[in-house]
Amino acid sequence: MKMVIAIVQDHDSQRLSDRLSKNNYRNTKLASTGGFLRAGNTTFLCGVADDRVDELLRLIDDTCGNREQTVSPVTPMGGNADSYIPYPVEVEVGGATVFVLPIEHFERF
């Protein structure tokens, strides 16, 4: 048994949730916030049998693609302003950050 923790952009959240349900992956959704863009994310927690982990990882990869997005940097409040970029920049967003953890014991009540 493994615990798969997938952090995805809110943009991909509903589509991933639908695909998880359709493929019989029980999951818990948590609202989270990213540190770099300070944008909304969704964290999915999925308890998965060992033999289904690779299938789940492919599903996440297929659903949560990378894309380019223009962002306006936040004005620095204190600190060093030398590295501040005063104009919008293109950054790659999307995808998923996934952790796969071993589970020693699991109960469902």
Side-chain angles (χ1 to χ4, degrees):
M1 181 62 106
K2 301 286 192 247
M3 170 63 71
V4 176
I5 303 170
I7 304 164
V8 304
Q9 241 194 354
D10 280 345
H11 177 83
D12 298 319
S13 174
Q14 188 59 51
R15 203 164 31 132
L16 180 58
S17 181
D18 293 344
R19 291 192 70 193
L20 291 173
S21 295
K22 180 181 176 186
N23 289 279
N24 297 317
Y25 288 102
R26 292 177 177 245
N27 64 86
T28 299
K29 276 174 50 170
L30 304 171
S32 51
T33 303
F36 177 61
L37 297 176
R38 294 183 176 87
N41 291 330
T42 301
T43 301
F44 288 88
L45 306 174
C46 302
V48 182
D50 289 342
D51 62 339
R52 294 193 72 200
V53 171
D54 289 338
E55 176 188 342
L56 175 57
L57 294 176
R58 278 191 301 276
L59 188 145
I60 294 168
D61 185 32
D62 291 345
T63 306
C64 304
N66 290 333
R67 61 196 157 275
E68 295 290 319
Q69 179 177 324
T70 303
V71 296
S72 297
V74 177
T75 305
M77 300 297 282
N80 186 356
D82 293 339
S83 63
Y84 174 66
I85 303 169
Y87 50 87
V89 294
E90 287 281 324
V91 295
E92 187 175 292
V93 298
T97 300
V98 181
F99 301 92
V100 180
L101 308 170
I103 299 299
E104 186 174 311
H105 185 77
F106 169 74
E107 295 284 339
R108 182 180 300 147
F109 299 106

